[in-house]
Amino acid sequence: IPFQRLGLMGNLLKVLACAELEHGPIVFLDFEHAQPTEAETAVWNQVSAVLEEAHGILAELQSYNGAGQEIREAIQNPGDLALQEKAWNAVCPLVAKLKRFYEFSLRLENALRSLLEALTSPPYAPMQHLEREQALAKQFAEILHFTLSFDELKMTNPAIQNDFSYYRRTISRNRLNNQQVEYKSGENEVNNEMANRMSLFYAEATPMLKTLSNATTKFVSENKTLPIEDTTDCLSTMACVCRVMLETPEYRCRFTNTDTMLFCMRVMVGVIILYDHVHPVGAFAKTSKIDMKGCIKVLKEQPSNSVEGLLNALRYTTRHLNDDSTSKQIRALLQ
Ligand SMILES: *[C@@H]1O[C@H](CO)[C@@H](O)[C@H](O)[C@H]1NC(C)=O
Ligand SMILES: *[C@@H]1O[C@H](CO)[C@@H](O)[C@H](O)[C@H]1NC(C)=O
């Protein structure tokens, strides 16, 4: 099905884009099949190299079981050196994994930056960018999808912080006792500075999302020539497109894969949270360009187990929900 071309140009488009979407098919982001055009190729290749790893990272996190048992035994038997060593040997490879995840977040941050640059570059309006650069929009969506999936897994896995703090405690105890570390931590050793940065990362409830929102805020503040609205409009437009795709039966049935629905939901929630962190008054204010009521309603209508998790993400990882400017109605919807 060919995409209908936009007739409107310029600033008017920004204002009308969402209203127009309500009344007819303007942009259907082809999340399933979008292929890069020539103009998109350079950025697309760069981001693609990062995204190729994302699946493996999620699989690794999913199967992350932690060393709770070994750590417990070591703590309960502080005099038993064999148990100390066993716990240490169990924790080290896990910390190497945590380091890989953290390092991946830095690569993801760079990828996001490249996408933001491409999707906000003049002279095009956000809707035009999304329409012209569907493959990049899809990658942006994939990054958000990965991010929410990662954070969901992290949030439900207390072993991560437990393992990491055991690792740090063991190192500092050895240092304090001026003790020779009898057991090697292996080639994946995490130096102190790295350990500090990893601690900050894993202390976040939603570390990947926080990384992305920090990066987006940084992108906006570093680039003085680029009005903040260019970035936030890109986000609100994406939220709008996702919402309309979820709301509209004729779009929904174009998804050949039910996972695409979940994908769309995650992306919508992801851009809302980013918008709320980056925009000075956030996503819940009356002046917000995101129809929060519509987004929450459509989310609640989806027959998916993931809805509650996504609503929780809106409840607990946004910045402005509890501001006075948030309407009672929106609050009630999220209650
Ligand atoms: C600022 O934004 C413009 C337009 O998107 C872009 O060409 C330029 O590279 C950006 N500069 C920085 C430092 O990101
Ligand atoms: C995000 O930025 C804040 C403030 O600069 C910082 O304290 C926090 O550690 C950062 N989080 C991540 C995950 O980068």
Side-chain angles (χ1 to χ4, degrees), residues 200-201 204 207 210-211 214:
L200 290 176
F201 179 77
E204 305 276 3
K210 193 69 190 170
T211 302
N214 276 5

Side-chain angles (χ1 to χ4, degrees), residues 113 116-122 129 218-219 222-227 230:
R113 202 186 162 81
L116 284 176
E117 267 171 30
L119 289 171
T120 57
S121 68
H129 271 297
K218 202 161 144 225
F219 173 78
E222 274 176 5
N223 203 331
K224 300 281 183 241
T225 59
L226 189 72
D230 285 29

Side-chain angles (χ1 to χ4, degrees), residues 184 230 236 313:
K184 282 253 177 306
D230 285 29
S236 57

